[in-house]
Amino acid sequence: MANDRVAALKGNARLQETSKTGAPTSFKPGALCGVLYEVSDLILAPLPGKTAPRLIQDLLSYDPRKLHFSGRNILTDPAPLYQNDEKPPVVVVKGSCRHKYMTKRDQSHLPYPDSKPDKSTLYKVASFCQECRCHMLLMVNFRSGSGEQPCPNSQYPLHHFVHVPQSSSGRRKSADLPKGERWTDQQRFECSSPCCPAAITIRINPPRITPEWETLLTDRVMVKERADVVMKMAPERFEGIAHPLPITVLTNLRSYINNALRNPEAKKISPLNKKFVTSFGDYGQPCQELLEYLGFTYDRGESSWTPPKPKANPTFPLQEPLNILLDDVEKELMVLISQRPCDEQRGVNFQFIPCPSLKDIEQSLGSLDYAKTHASRTIDLTAEEHPYYASLGATSEFSDPLLIFSYERQTCCDRDNAPYYLECLQDLAKGRKSEMLETKAVLMESEGQISRKDIQNAYRYFGLDPTARELDDETIVGNFRSRVGDAPRQETEMRRALGIIGLDRKSAKIQSEAANSVTNYDQALTWLGADQKTPDEFIVSMYTLKVTENQNEREIARNAVSLIAEKRNSEALRSWLATGELGEVEMDVGHAYNRLGIEDRTLDDDMILTTYEIRVSEAPSQLQDLRMALKAIAKSKDSRRIADFLNTGLFSSEHSLSGWPVGLENIGNTCYLNSLLQFYFTVKPLRNLVLDFDKYKMPLDAESLNKKQVGSRRVTPKEVMRAQKFASELQKLFNSMIAAPTSAVTPEQELARLTLISSNNEENIRRMSLLTSKRPSLGDINGMPVLGPLGPPPSVQEKCNGAANYAVGEHDMDIDTDPQEGAVNGTTNMDGSDNGDTSSEATLVEPPTNEENDFMIIDSDVKEQQQQIMEDKENLPPQNVDVPRPSTPDIYHVPLGESSPSKANEQQRLTSTAKQANDTMSDTVMINGAPPTPPSEGPPNRPPPIPPRPKVEEPISTVQDEVELGAQQDVTEVVGNVLFQLQCAITPVSIDKNGEQIDQIKNLFFGKTKSYIVKNEKVRMKEEFFSDIKVDVANGPRDIYSALDGYFDQQIVDVEGAQAPQYGTISQLPPILQIQVHRVQFDAEKKVSYKSNHHLELKEIIFLDRYMDNDDAELMERRQASWKWKSRLRKLETRKAVLGNTKMHLNLPDVLDQTKDYLTSLQTIEDDEMIEVNPTILTSVGDMAAEIRQELNNIETEIKDLTANINSQFADLRNLPYRLQSVFIHRGSVSFGHYWIYIYDFAKDIWRKYNDSYVTEIKDRGEIFEQEAYNPATPYFLVYVKDEAKDELVDPVRRNVPDVSEGAPNEMTMMGRGGESTTAFASGGNVSIPWGGVFQGTTQSPAPWDARGSYNPDGW
């Protein structure tokens, strides 16, 4: 019957899975959930199983001699159902042996490494326990089953074994067994996978050497007595021979057996053999039974013993019983010898190094390498493993996906206990703090699965006892109806509890009663919690809330929305029901006129359009809302002119634009932003993800948001929504860059703000607005600005100085935003003249930070220099009043946020210790560096002065302020912010074992490095993700390989107070490799930051083989040799610097030569004051100069040789080529300068320079790869792409410019307000319109355009 159940299980599971999928699919958590409750009813009883690792763990604890008092068999029986509030059950019986199985190679048939079983495979693992000496035989047979795909395979990552009782199962008595064996325990299991033919047999036998025989061989008294009898019979013969010890007896017996196995024709043992008779007694009679069992035969005529005669040259694995017996006994004797006391083992030449069986067993069962989790993440309620693991047939080492697999197999095999298994999964998810397990549990609940806790709580909710005999369906339904009448507001909760009871009882009547229904418009509104005035978009929101609370109510909720859509005749809701996207919700015409501020509805179309343009210019962030208002008015007036205006687009007749990248206008302090945006546009997978963002968009339901984890931290819903806004803004820009008919477009201020400022810094900026003397703008309503609260009034001293000094808390930003006082951070505007490449240029290369306080350090002197060389396009509008600024401290600090991506990525930073005052107000920081005003000593002797009123100023755009501030952030921080936001915005592809999401961005830009630390001959390894590699050029010019070596080479680090070597490798390469060039250094003496302009020699192709993590001993030897050479090279360079650099800018030998010449010249002075110099000194100085010069020559020669060795050490490793694709360039100093980017077009084999709105071809590549002598432009960020995938990874040109046959180049034709043809001349992405205002193609007419110049949303 058991065999029938297993066959039915496997057959029905195969039928269900193939009918659903058509073919096996790759294993994913949840891949088997489709068959959990669809197994045939032919399964007569629960048949849970266990995975291979669980079976192995139980096998190691299974001792047939020690059975549980309840009769439960730990190997074959299911784990008992565990109540979470109970004490965990005792699994292993006290006194049981925790086996240490060792492999008997001659009796085993083991799988070859990396081999895969087929229908002809049979594995045998013969073992003995090093503790109790019992013998275990594991046979894995793939020959008898009907499946064709043995586990593990793409769908089943592990075997899942079900016990199959047989007539021979269990422990059998000695009557059925050969001589010497009292019992044997045999069990059979079959894999529950429908495609796997594996069946295993486990046979356990007791030791061959019985306890009586063990005593005979090891009891010291008995051994001595046997020897005494022999020695007393012939004292002269045994004179001088010591009494044997038990270890001597064991060793002698093993020698006889070993000789018999190696030489079956061994000689007879004479009765005069001293070794034999002292060990086994006179003529061996005391040990006769044992010897005969082992195959020894006694010849009474000769009074001699003949050793066993096993089969010579046997086949392996051994088949002959005597060969197997002797092999078993030899292993047992070695165990007994190893267990003897140390005083016996002293002087005995014996080595016992058995081979553990665990790996052989794991390999035979296909579980040698499976995904494991860290021990720190497993639940630890007791010292023992939590019982829920055993219930799922899993172990605590399982990764989350494997736990899900175990849950699915267990539920599939044991349908009756599915609620209990769901409870196991839920509690393990909490204990392991696993988002994946929690998600799986929630998913199962959403599909109607219930846990045991749900069932218990449901009965308890109605006050019912599920075990009561009188409890029937009628009683339960009556109880529900009565309670609903008493508490109608709790109906939803009651129905859910009733539905759970219905599922538990498999009662269609109860489930039907629990199902709710909505049949009309009023019921639909009431059920959703809406009313007749609720807008359509809020109807959808209420639907989402309902479904999030209870996935089982999805169909009822959709029916409610459908009823509302039909009653309202709402095309928007119909669109949402059909596509999942809410159609455009029309604005009420009265609200539309109010939105535009139009009171007179008789205004003609021209005046309406003029008013619309004014509102857009006043509040550009409200563009979409204003367009909806204008569209509603156009529809109500049936105005063709307004409709044409809404559909107007721009196009260019310059066909060459379609094959050339578009430039980006600089919107102020954002030249490096433009470089980043251009780079991201060329990355095809990222560009496609952004363009099809809706396909990858992260759902905003509470379940998904609560589990969102990017990097090593949780992501808040606010961050996800902000990130999706960023992705949408980026999508708008990319669409514009593709379809714009102009040579350049203008990025939106909002995109710049979201790109440049992380969510953490954004909060700091918001708080900063409360510290200013003006009222910050909070946006506008109907075009009218809404101002924030007034800050504190400035003091008298502040008024005199013309600046506001405000105390800023530890996490606030020290920023002056008064437009009359200059730009952000104190920048002032000059005449706007173009200074070439050095103009731009309040942006910063990555400033060094103090590691303790995480501050950016900005030198005030450099800031003042910055103010004098900036050009118009990088600054705020010129100031109207020349107000003297207060003095500023040498250094001021701006704190970085805890969630700053650059903070998580930084490798090495120079540190600076901030000065701290000793007074009680040392924690207060003033913006201008002045000390805070001390508290009053006593009551004032005069009335306080009347505080001056703040000046009435025009409100400054909050977005513009934030963009200007964000432009001064760390460039690498911005890169990290972009990648972080894109990851936040999209749905993960998978979740790793630490709960971190894996997505397209992660797979594109992130690799993995391993860091090794060697201490006390032990190696510590840490693996972590990286998005860029940081290289340093602070100490001089170098090539790209030398720079990368500095990141991975061995260095000495401090570990727990001791010095230890550390080095790094790459364990996983990203398709796109980003390299940050660290150029900013800090001069501790001058207390200023400076930029290193040392040349970094780039290579168009680099090979990364030398940095990869592998077990190649030769590669490690090469690395060690290279590290040794570099260590020697550093010492030589240090010595060369000592000898070659002096304050006189001469090397030391030249200084000594000049010293000698000077001393010699003193001897030629012909006067009374001639100074005599000892000739020995002159000789010594000359000799010293010659010796040092020779040493320098030797150093130069050795440096040259070492450099050649280092450069050629890995030259032959060329299997992992990466091609240079982008080079970010900066020209200027640490606090100002200009950025642009070079991007390579692999298809056309050309380099282009993207300098804001200008994109030009580079004719001379020396511009990129060589360095100028004065004020050089230096690379600060590099991008290499995998050579074999470069065509799939990057594509710099994607344009879809409309084909227009009329119009001149760089001219846009559009319909004027009176219907006349109007020509607008383009300047970048902005178009001047003759009737006033500025038309931005990226804002007012989003791409694409059709051939008529009208917007066509389906034009893609």
Side-chain angles (χ1 to χ4, degrees):
M1 185 65 70
N3 287 329
D4 294 339
R5 292 203 302 269
V6 174
L9 172 66
K10 294 163 70 87
N12 282 275
R14 184 186 300 110
L15 176 63
Q16 295 296 340
E17 291 172 16
T18 55
S19 66
K20 288 177 176 295
T21 64
T25 58
S26 298
F27 168 68
K28 298 178 181 178
L32 309 179
C33 61
V35 298
L36 295 185
Y37 291 114
E38 300 181 20
V39 181
S40 170
D41 290 336
L42 290 175
I43 301 178
L44 304 178
L47 201 64
K50 55 185 68 178
T51 60
R54 181 77 231 176
L55 182 67
I56 294 172
Q57 181 170 312
D58 291 345
L59 176 61
L60 296 178
S61 301
Y62 176 54
D63 191 341
R65 299 167 298 183
K66 302 286 185 179
L67 296 180
H68 197 271
F69 67 90
S70 65
R72 176 178 175 270
N73 188 312
I74 186 178
L75 185 64
T76 61
D77 293 338
L81 303 187
Y82 170 66
Q83 295 289 346
N84 209 2
D85 54 351
E86 296 178 351
K87 182 179 180 180
V90 176
V91 177
V92 180
V93 180
K94 185 177 181 180
S96 298
C97 177
R98 176 65 178 176
H99 299 299
K100 295 181 180 179
Y101 283 122
M102 304 294 157
T103 301
K104 298 182 287 189
R105 294 288 178 183
D106 291 346
Q107 300 182 41
S108 301
H109 182 266
L110 304 175
Y112 293 106
D114 301 324
S115 63
K116 294 184 179 180
D118 54 32
K119 291 285 291 182
S120 63
T121 301
L122 176 65
Y123 297 139
K124 288 185 178 181
V125 183
S127 306
F128 66 95
C129 178
Q130 197 175 359
E131 297 292 330
C132 69
R133 296 183 288 113
C134 71
H135 298 268
M136 188 274 294
L137 175 63
L138 171 71
M139 292 183 289
V140 187
N141 187 355
F142 295 89
R143 301 172 181 175
S144 60
S146 59
E148 299 292 338
Q149 290 182 293
C151 299
N153 52 49
S154 60
Q155 193 171 358
Y156 293 83
L158 289 172
H159 286 292
H160 180 263
F161 291 110
V162 175
H163 180 240
V164 182
Q166 294 182 319
S167 59
S168 60
S169 295
R171 179 169 167 172
R172 292 186 292 140
K173 299 299 181 180
S174 60
D176 302 328
L177 298 174
K179 179 182 178 181
E181 298 181 20
R182 274 89 42 222
W183 56 265
T184 186
D185 189 278
Q186 181 170 305
Q187 307 292 348
R188 178 179 171 84
F189 297 82
E190 292 183 6
C191 182
S192 69
S193 164
C195 57
C196 180
I200 64 173
T201 300
I202 299 174
R203 183 183 302 153
I204 300 177
N205 290 330
R208 300 278 194 165
I209 299 176
T210 65
E212 296 81 6
W213 291 341
E214 179 184 353
T215 302
L216 187 68
L217 297 174
T218 60
D219 185 90
R220 289 196 177 194
V221 175
M222 295 181 69
V223 170
K224 185 176 183 300
E225 289 176 351
R226 286 200 303 268
D228 284 340
V229 170
V230 174
M231 291 179 177
K232 288 178 180 179
M233 293 174 61
E236 324 69 40
R237 187 163 167 263
F238 293 97
E239 185 177 357
I241 297 178
H243 285 77
L245 296 171
I247 195 170
T248 308
V249 178
L250 296 171
T251 304
N252 291 339
L253 181 58
R254 177 181 175 269
S255 297
Y256 290 127
I257 292 176
N258 186 267
N259 291 336
L261 287 170
R262 304 297 176 264
N263 182 16
E265 301 300 328
K267 297 179 180 180
K268 294 182 179 181
I269 303 173
S270 169
L272 301 178
N273 188 307
K274 297 178 182 179
K275 181 174 68 174
F276 182 84
V277 296
T278 55
S279 296
F280 305 107
D282 186 27
Y283 294 103
Q285 295 304 313
C287 301
Q288 180 178 353
E289 184 181 10
L290 169 62
L291 294 174
E292 290 178 346
Y293 172 71
L294 297 178
F296 290 82
T297 57
Y298 181 65
D299 187 339
R300 294 186 180 276
E302 298 182 4
S303 299
S304 63
W305 284 91
T306 301
K309 293 184 178 296
K311 182 179 180 180
N313 301 318
T315 58
F316 295 95
L318 297 175
Q319 303 293 330
E320 295 296 326
L322 182 56
N323 294 70
I324 294 175
L325 169 64
L326 294 178
D327 188 57
D328 287 351
V329 172
E330 183 185 20
K331 301 298 187 296
E332 292 186 31
L333 289 172
M334 289 191 290
V335 172
L336 290 173
I337 293 171
S338 67
Q339 293 175 348
R340 297 309 300 166
C342 294
D343 63 321
E344 290 189 24
Q345 294 191 26
R346 191 177 298 112
V348 177
N349 185 15
F350 172 75
Q351 289 186 343
F352 179 43
I353 309 177
C355 180
S357 299
L358 182 58
K359 287 190 176 180
D360 296 330
I361 297 173
E362 290 177 334
Q363 188 171 4
S364 299
L365 295 182
S367 61
L368 181 59
D369 293 311
Y370 62 90
K372 299 180 181 180
T373 189
H374 298 296
S376 60
R377 293 188 58 229
T378 60
I379 192 167
D380 187 23
L381 298 184
T382 69
E384 299 291 335
E385 180 184 65
H386 195 280
Y388 283 152
Y389 288 108
S391 296
L392 294 179
T395 74
S396 59
E397 291 184 335
F398 272 24
S399 66
D400 292 348
L402 283 184
L403 272 180
I404 292 176
F405 167 79
S406 304
Y407 161 75
E408 291 173 342
R409 293 311 303 154
Q410 206 74 320
T411 308
C412 180
C413 295
D414 186 8
R415 177 178 174 179
D416 289 346
N417 287 313
Y420 171 66
Y421 297 133
L422 181 57
E423 178 184 320
C424 295
L425 186 69
Q426 291 171 334
D427 277 22
L428 289 178
K430 294 178 181 178
R432 293 163 68 108
K433 299 179 181 179
S434 167
E435 291 187 10
M436 177 179 287
L437 297 183
E438 290 178 0
T439 301
K440 176 63 178 178
V442 172
L443 178 63
M444 299 310 298
E445 288 181 322
S446 70
E447 294 178 355
Q449 309 303 325
I450 55 177
S451 71
R452 189 175 60 173
K453 290 180 180 178
D454 293 332
I455 297 173
Q456 295 169 348
N457 292 334
Y459 281 105
R460 191 178 299 115
Y461 185 86
F462 291 108
L464 300 174
D465 180 7
T467 62
R469 292 185 178 182
E470 64 276 9
L471 187 65
D472 55 17
D473 291 355
E474 292 293 339
T475 302
I476 295 172
V477 172
N479 185 303
F480 161 75
R481 291 174 178 173
S482 174
R483 287 175 177 267
V484 168
D486 295 338
R489 293 187 178 182
Q490 300 177 14
E491 179 179 355
T492 300
E493 187 176 355
M494 291 183 188
R495 289 188 181 277
R496 182 179 182 277
L498 185 66
I500 292 173
I501 294 175
L503 289 173
D504 177 53
R505 298 175 67 92
K506 301 180 180 61
S507 168
K509 180 176 182 178
I510 295 178
Q511 293 184 48
S512 175
E513 180 71 22
N516 201 354
S517 61
V518 176
T519 58
N520 56 53
Y521 176 67
D522 292 333
Q523 287 181 354
L525 291 175
T526 302
W527 192 85
L528 288 174
D531 56 41
Q532 295 183 1
K533 296 182 180 180
T534 303
D536 289 351
E537 56 266 34
F538 284 99
I539 293 292
V540 174
S541 299
M542 292 174 173
Y543 163 88
T544 303
L545 183 61
K546 277 282 188 180
V547 172
T548 301
E549 292 175 349
N550 187 356
Q551 291 287 336
N552 294 327
E553 296 179 341
R554 183 184 298 274
E555 291 303 320
I556 302 174
R558 286 187 63 86
N559 182 47
V561 176
S562 178
L563 290 170
I564 295 172
E566 294 302 319
K567 178 67 175 180
R568 295 182 176 184
N569 194 24
S570 170
E571 293 298 329
L573 291 179
R574 290 194 185 104
S575 172
W576 179 84
L577 288 167
T579 66
E581 296 290 336
L582 187 65
E584 185 170 326
V585 181
E586 293 183 2
M587 185 179 292
D588 176 77
V589 65
H591 179 59
Y593 276 107
N594 290 336
R595 184 67 186 83
L596 292 178
I598 300 175
E599 297 180 356
D600 185 1
R601 299 192 182 187
T602 63
L603 287 179
D604 59 21
D605 292 349
D606 288 343
M607 289 301 299
I608 292 174
L609 289 173
T610 300
T611 304
Y612 167 81
E613 291 176 6
I614 294 173
R615 295 292 178 257
V616 169
S617 64
E618 291 175 342
S621 63
Q622 303 296 321
L623 174 65
Q624 294 301 324
D625 195 38
L626 294 169
R627 283 181 62 86
M628 289 177 60
L630 187 62
K631 183 176 180 179
I633 293 173
K635 184 176 181 180
S636 68
K637 292 171 63 70
D638 194 21
S639 170
R640 176 66 181 274
R641 183 171 299 175
I642 299 178
D644 288 344
F645 176 83
L646 287 167
N647 292 325
T648 297
L650 302 177
F651 57 90
S652 170
S653 62
E654 189 175 1
H655 298 287
S656 62
L657 290 178
S658 61
W660 200 253
V662 69
L664 296 177
E665 293 287 351
N666 194 303
I667 58 176
N669 279 351
T670 59
C671 47
Y672 78 78
L673 167 67
N674 288 345
S675 298
L676 289 174
L677 295 175
Q678 291 285 14
F679 162 61
Y680 292 134
F681 183 82
T682 67
V683 180
K684 287 174 64 176
L686 186 147
R687 183 174 66 206
N688 293 337
L689 181 148
V690 171
L691 293 175
D692 296 332
F693 174 57
D694 290 342
K695 177 181 176 182
Y696 304 95
K697 189 174 183 180
M698 175 78 184
L700 295 179
D701 57 278
E703 174 189 340
S704 301
L705 292 174
N706 288 339
K707 300 173 182 177
K708 185 79 169 177
Q709 179 175 326
V710 175
S712 59
R713 71 178 184 87
R714 297 276 187 171
V715 178
T716 66
K718 183 177 180 181
E719 286 178 307
V720 173
M721 290 185 283
R722 184 186 192 273
Q724 293 186 349
K725 183 179 181 182
F726 162 76
S728 298
E729 291 293 330
L730 191 59
Q731 182 186 58
K732 288 166 57 179
L733 176 66
F734 281 8
N735 280 329
S736 179
M737 293 172 70
I738 292 172
T742 58
S743 61
V745 297
T746 303
E748 296 281 357
Q749 290 278 355
E750 181 65 4
L751 173 61
R753 182 182 72 85
L754 294 171
T755 305
L756 297 173
I757 301 177
S758 66
S759 57
N760 183 272
N761 287 338
E762 184 179 52
E763 294 302 320
N764 290 335
I765 296 170
R766 301 297 189 196
R767 290 198 300 271
M768 177 201 69
S769 65
L770 300 177
L771 302 175
T772 60
S773 61
K774 63 183 181 182
R775 299 178 69 182
S777 172
L778 301 181
D780 55 76
I781 298 179
N782 294 332
M784 300 301 293
V786 179
L787 301 181
L790 284 171
S795 65
V796 175
Q797 179 180 0
E798 292 165 352
K799 183 177 179 181
C800 296
N801 289 340
N805 301 333
Y806 301 116
V808 184
E810 178 182 340
H811 296 293
D812 293 328
M813 308 192 70
D814 300 338
I815 298 289
D816 183 1
T817 56
D818 190 341
Q820 299 301 325
E821 298 297 322
V824 176
N825 283 337
T827 57
T828 58
N829 297 282
M830 298 295 109
D831 58 0
S833 60
D834 189 353
N835 295 319
D837 283 335
T838 59
S839 57
S840 207
E841 291 150 353
T843 55
L844 298 176
V845 187
E846 72 283 15
T849 64
N850 182 307
E851 297 213 274
E852 293 182 0
N853 299 318
D854 202 14
F855 286 137
M856 289 196 301
I857 304 175
I858 305 174
D859 179 60
S860 60
D861 293 333
V862 177
K863 286 183 62 192
E864 308 231 344
Q865 181 184 8
Q866 163 190 340
Q867 298 171 12
Q868 300 172 5
I869 65 172
M870 296 184 349
E871 68 180 15
D872 267 349
K873 68 177 183 178
E874 300 296 342
N875 297 320
L876 296 173
Q879 59 187 27
N880 299 322
V881 182
D882 187 11
V883 180
R885 298 192 59 78
S887 61
T888 58
D890 288 340
I891 300 173
Y892 70 95
H893 303 276
V894 180
L896 293 174
E898 285 299 323
S899 61
S900 165
S902 69
K903 184 169 183 178
N905 256 344
E906 65 185 18
Q907 176 198 23
Q908 292 179 346
R909 298 284 194 177
L910 297 176
T911 58
S912 171
T913 305
K915 298 178 180 179
Q916 298 181 352
N918 294 324
D919 57 82
T920 58
M921 302 184 67
S922 61
D923 289 338
T924 306
V925 180
M926 307 305 289
I927 267 183
N928 69 344
T933 304
S936 172
E937 296 290 338
N941 54 14
R942 57 185 177 83
I946 299 175
R949 296 181 180 272
K951 295 178 290 184
V952 179
E953 302 168 337
E954 290 295 324
I956 296 179
S957 169
T958 302
V959 173
Q960 176 67 23
D961 287 346
E962 294 182 2
V963 169
E964 290 296 331
L965 178 60
Q968 302 193 36
Q969 302 303 307
D970 181 354
V971 176
T972 310
E973 182 176 358
V974 176
V975 173
N977 182 42
V978 171
L979 299 183
F980 175 76
Q981 290 195 95
L982 288 175
Q983 288 187 272
C984 290
I986 61 178
T987 302
V989 174
S990 62
I991 305 295
D992 72 5
K993 60 186 178 182
N994 296 318
E996 179 177 350
Q997 81 169 37
I998 305 298
D999 49 48
Q1000 291 84 351
I1001 301 301
K1002 197 85 169 181
N1003 292 333
L1004 198 59
F1005 293 96
F1006 286 77
K1008 289 184 179 179
T1009 58
K1010 286 185 178 180
S1011 176
Y1012 293 90
I1013 296 179
V1014 182
K1015 184 181 179 184
N1016 298 331
E1017 298 183 355
K1018 295 183 179 179
V1019 179
R1020 303 181 186 177
M1021 186 275 289
K1022 179 181 181 182
E1023 186 175 37
E1024 55 188 0
F1025 283 105
F1026 75 96
S1027 61
D1028 60 69
I1029 295 175
K1030 296 169 178 61
V1031 300
D1032 193 358
V1033 292
N1035 297 325
R1038 60 186 58 187
D1039 66 10
I1040 184 63
Y1041 281 121
S1042 177
L1044 288 172
D1045 288 350
Y1047 188 88
F1048 295 102
D1049 277 355
Q1050 187 181 80
Q1051 55 184 327
I1052 303 301
V1053 297
D1054 184 77
V1055 179
E1056 299 173 355
Q1059 300 293 308
Q1062 178 190 46
Y1063 68 93
T1065 61
I1066 301 176
S1067 57
Q1068 178 182 314
L1069 280 168
I1072 297 179
L1073 177 66
Q1074 302 179 119
I1075 301 175
Q1076 178 199 349
V1077 184
H1078 186 70
R1079 292 189 174 274
V1080 176
Q1081 309 297 321
F1082 182 72
D1083 189 324
E1085 293 183 359
K1086 298 181 180 180
K1087 305 298 184 184
V1088 295
S1089 303
Y1090 67 94
K1091 175 189 172 187
S1092 170
N1093 283 326
H1094 290 306
H1095 178 51
L1096 177 63
E1097 180 185 341
L1098 304 180
K1099 296 184 183 296
E1100 294 195 65
I1101 302 179
I1102 59 174
F1103 300 90
L1104 300 179
D1105 307 57
R1106 66 187 69 182
Y1107 305 115
M1108 297 307 296
D1109 184 82
N1110 57 47
D1111 298 327
D1112 188 350
E1114 181 187 356
L1115 178 59
M1116 192 63 196
E1117 290 176 0
R1118 291 196 194 189
R1119 287 174 180 162
Q1120 290 172 342
S1122 178
W1123 298 338
K1124 184 177 179 181
W1125 294 335
K1126 291 175 182 177
S1127 177
R1128 175 61 179 166
L1129 185 62
R1130 285 191 292 271
K1131 293 179 180 178
L1132 292 174
E1133 289 174 342
T1134 302
R1135 178 62 177 168
K1136 178 183 175 182
V1138 171
L1139 301 178
N1141 298 324
T1142 66
K1143 294 182 179 180
M1144 300 172 63
H1145 302 290
L1146 295 172
N1147 61 34
L1148 190 54
D1150 291 341
V1151 172
L1152 292 173
D1153 286 341
Q1154 292 188 17
T1155 301
K1156 180 181 178 182
D1157 293 341
Y1158 175 73
L1159 293 175
T1160 302
S1161 68
L1162 295 178
Q1163 307 300 312
T1164 62
I1165 301 176
E1166 298 180 356
D1167 56 28
D1168 295 337
E1169 297 181 0
M1170 181 185 70
I1171 300 176
E1172 292 186 2
V1173 179
N1174 190 331
T1176 305
I1177 295 179
L1178 295 176
T1179 303
S1180 298
V1181 172
D1183 292 344
M1184 187 180 296
E1187 290 174 3
I1188 295 176
R1189 184 170 285 108
Q1190 183 60 45
E1191 184 180 357
L1192 282 172
N1193 291 337
N1194 294 339
I1195 288 175
E1196 286 288 354
T1197 301
E1198 189 174 356
I1199 286 177
K1200 183 177 180 181
D1201 293 340
L1202 287 173
T1203 303
N1205 290 340
I1206 293 170
N1207 291 338
S1208 62
Q1209 180 72 342
F1210 305 97
D1212 60 323
L1213 302 181
R1214 305 170 68 86
N1215 294 322
L1216 295 173
Y1218 270 63
R1219 299 283 297 273
L1220 183 62
Q1221 189 262 346
S1222 294
V1223 182
F1224 291 72
I1225 296 292
H1226 175 262
R1227 188 197 300 276
S1229 73
V1230 67
S1231 56
F1232 69 91
H1234 182 57
Y1235 294 84
W1236 66 90
I1237 186 173
Y1238 297 105
I1239 298 178
Y1240 185 65
D1241 189 328
F1242 291 102
K1244 295 185 178 181
D1245 189 26
I1246 61 173
W1247 282 92
R1248 296 186 182 93
K1249 179 180 181 180
Y1250 295 70
N1251 192 353
D1252 288 336
S1253 59
Y1254 299 100
V1255 182
T1256 56
E1257 181 179 351
I1258 298 301
K1259 302 296 184 181
D1260 180 12
R1261 297 193 179 188
E1263 179 177 338
I1264 304 171
F1265 295 96
E1266 298 175 5
Q1267 182 164 304
E1268 307 152 293
Y1270 174 73
N1271 190 23
T1274 54
Y1276 75 94
F1277 203 80
L1278 312 172
V1279 179
Y1280 282 86
V1281 299
K1282 184 178 291 187
D1283 181 64
E1284 63 184 13
K1286 60 182 181 297
D1287 295 331
E1288 290 75 31
L1289 291 173
V1290 290
D1291 177 24
V1293 181
R1294 178 174 174 182
R1295 299 293 295 273
N1296 185 21
V1297 181
D1299 185 10
V1300 181
S1301 59
E1302 297 180 4
N1306 296 325
E1307 293 183 4
M1308 274 54 68
T1309 303
M1310 62 189 305
M1311 295 303 297
R1313 295 257 284 276
E1316 71 278 14
S1317 177
T1318 304
T1319 300
F1321 296 165
S1323 173
N1326 296 341
V1327 181
S1328 300
I1329 303 175
W1331 61 75
V1334 175
F1335 186 89
Q1336 291 183 297
T1338 58
T1339 302
Q1340 295 220 32
S1341 185
W1345 294 267
D1346 63 19
R1348 300 185 305 276
S1350 299
Y1351 175 68
N1352 178 10
D1354 300 322
W1356 295 120

